[in-house]
Amino acid sequence: MSAGAAAAAGQPDLADVLARSDVWRGDTLAQAPLPGVPSGFGELDAELPGAGWPRGGLVELLPERRGIGEMALLMPALARISSAELAWVVCVAPPLPPYAPAWAAAGVSLSRLLVTRAAGGDAAWACARALEADGVGALVAWLPAADASTLRRLQLLAEKSRTLIFLFRPAAAVRESSPAPLRIALAAGRTAGRLSLNLLKRRGGARAAPLELDLARPAPLSSAFHVVAGAAPSAAAARSLSPAAAA
């Protein structure tokens, strides 16, 4: 049916349908409803709808193990959110305390960093409260036991809040379905300082081959940049997120 005939019949034109952010061709990236947050890695931005990390949708990260550079991957975006946009970065249930000197060296404004160590159902609840709060630009959460209903709820809240959300789950979760519009499996790169990203799901079809990024940073930041979590407390800089503060 031609565009004119479709209009006469009261049906939407194909071009109008393809312009929607929730509809895309299998061989092209979808139109992002909002500009993405630059990841700091041009090769990755070129592979994402909106040319960056998406606002208003779950970004599910599935690392093969802890400490392969998964947090270094996020630092440029978190630095932009906290320092340039002056929005809050909320960390929920991190497995290790954020190492404040490394976060600061990466450009994250520690005065805009909130941390809560809630676990289990409380962690999901803290995520929901953070997404309902004003001024939260990014949420980073570790929810290893999140079920499908929890993910769906967070995705709906993400769409309303337009917050950038990184959700860490175990690598084994790759076999489970997920409402997250972007799912990435992470593995150590072939050489030190590199991280391999397998884009399992995105609005525009999966990428055929993994994307390998160089996480190296110029001295003197390089040594600190890879140590973004550890036992050293950061209480002086990072604040705890109480239920009242998150509400």
Side-chain angles (χ1 to χ4, degrees):
M1 182 180 293
S2 66
Q11 299 179 3
D13 183 67
L14 178 59
D16 294 334
V17 173
L18 292 176
R20 290 168 45 182
S21 61
D22 58 345
V23 178
W24 61 89
R25 294 179 183 272
D27 57 350
T28 58
L29 296 179
Q31 296 287 333
L34 297 169
V37 178
S39 70
F41 304 93
E43 313 97 298
L44 177 58
D45 289 346
E47 298 291 340
L48 300 176
W53 296 118
R55 301 179 193 263
L58 295 181
V59 178
E60 193 174 352
L61 300 171
L62 311 170
E64 64 174 357
R65 65 177 188 277
R66 189 184 303 165
I68 58 174
E70 68 273 21
M71 290 306 300
L73 175 67
L74 310 185
M75 284 297 129
L78 299 183
R80 182 185 182 90
I81 292 288
S82 62
S83 298
E85 300 184 9
L86 301 179
W88 292 97
V89 173
V90 179
C91 293
V92 175
L96 294 171
Y99 185 53
W103 285 59
V108 176
S109 174
L110 299 182
S111 65
R112 294 281 176 178
L113 175 64
L114 301 174
V115 180
T116 176
R117 296 183 178 85
D122 290 343
W125 181 88
C127 290
R129 298 290 78 74
L131 292 173
E132 293 171 348
D134 292 333
V136 176
L139 172 67
V140 186
W142 287 257
L143 300 180
D147 57 19
S149 62
T150 298
L151 296 179
R152 283 195 296 272
R153 184 185 181 203
L154 292 178
Q155 171 61 25
L156 291 174
L157 289 172
E159 293 174 0
K160 293 180 180 178
S161 69
R162 301 186 174 186
T163 300
L164 177 58
I165 304 174
F166 296 110
L167 181 61
F168 283 101
R169 299 186 68 209
V174 70
R175 296 187 292 271
E176 303 173 6
S177 62
S178 170
L182 179 59
R183 302 186 85 195
I184 304 177
L186 305 176
R190 289 170 292 183
T191 58
R194 298 182 69 84
L195 183 66
S196 178
L197 288 74
N198 188 0
L199 277 66
L200 304 170
K201 179 183 177 184
R202 61 179 174 174
R203 287 176 171 165
R207 192 175 190 274
L211 174 67
E212 194 157 301
L213 300 179
D214 186 357
L215 300 180
R217 289 293 182 272
L221 299 182
S222 58
S223 59
F225 201 80
H226 291 280
V227 185
V228 293
S234 56
R239 305 172 185 175
S240 295
L241 178 66
S242 65

